[in-house]
Amino acid sequence: MKLLVVDDHALVREGVKHVLLSMEDGVQVLEAGSAEEALRVVEDHADLDLVLLDVGLPGMNGFELLQVLRERGPAPRVAMLSASDDKSGVMTALQGGAAGFIPKAFSRDLMIQAVRFVLAGGIYVPPQAIGVDPAPATPDSARHLKLTDRQMQVLGLLARGKSNKAIASALSISEPTVKAHVTEVLRVLKVTNRAEAAIAARRLGFH
């Protein structure tokens, strides 16, 4: 497993690196202290599994670097690191294509849980950022929404950040059908985009 930590503070990089190395044997952690250095590392290491990217980088900030990485593609998964966990920052990250938002204030165990969740294909959102109890819910709590079983499946895949194409492949249905289901899911959840739907799905216990 190969991970990249991007932060302009050496002490922060060292702390996060220490946590990541404790996850399991065989973890390789690379470091970058700026956006420019991060771009070079990503270019040199096409096999990166995850980039942990500080929001507050000087010069090109983390959100801007995320956009550059997405535009260059194919890009590794990116989880944002931040000293803040406000909802606006979380939404900006998810709308920009991040696979998670991890507060720097997290304990070692919480950070590892968040990183593992993202590596497993999920989209991590800190519960406190959206004002919910961190205790896990179950998908059964979504039944009151009166979504069909297929729409529930689509919602679950949305929560994992899957594209319409990936959802269509997973469920063996056409992309136009997926688009119709997504439109209905957004309407029922009373949200306007996929990022908000992913947050709502997490609140309902989907992973």
Side-chain angles (χ1 to χ4, degrees), residues 67-166:
Q67 182 177 356
V68 172
L69 289 172
R70 299 289 292 180
E71 289 173 350
R72 287 190 175 189
R77 304 201 90 203
V78 176
M80 307 304 292
L81 288 173
S82 178
S84 172
D85 57 8
D86 63 286
K87 185 176 180 180
S88 63
V90 173
M91 290 304 303
T92 299
L94 296 185
Q95 289 170 350
F101 193 97
I102 304 174
K104 292 181 182 180
F106 265 7
S107 68
R108 171 188 170 278
D109 288 345
L110 281 177
M111 182 171 287
I112 287 176
Q113 288 176 23
V115 170
R116 287 191 186 281
F117 186 79
V118 173
L119 287 169
I123 297 178
Y124 185 82
V125 178
Q128 60 270 33
I130 51 177
V132 300
D133 187 331
T138 66
D140 288 340
S141 62
R143 294 294 176 185
H144 71 280
L145 296 173
K146 296 183 179 179
L147 293 171
T148 66
D149 288 342
R150 181 64 84 190
Q151 288 163 354
M152 293 277 280
Q153 291 173 330
V154 169
L155 178 58
L157 291 168
L158 276 177
R160 296 175 58 191
K162 299 298 184 181
S163 65
N164 283 359
K165 183 176 182 180

Side-chain angles (χ1 to χ4, degrees), residues 190-203:
K190 298 179 181 179
V191 297
T192 59
N193 56 57
R194 301 170 75 93
E196 292 178 349
I199 289 178
R202 289 291 312 283
R203 293 179 66 177

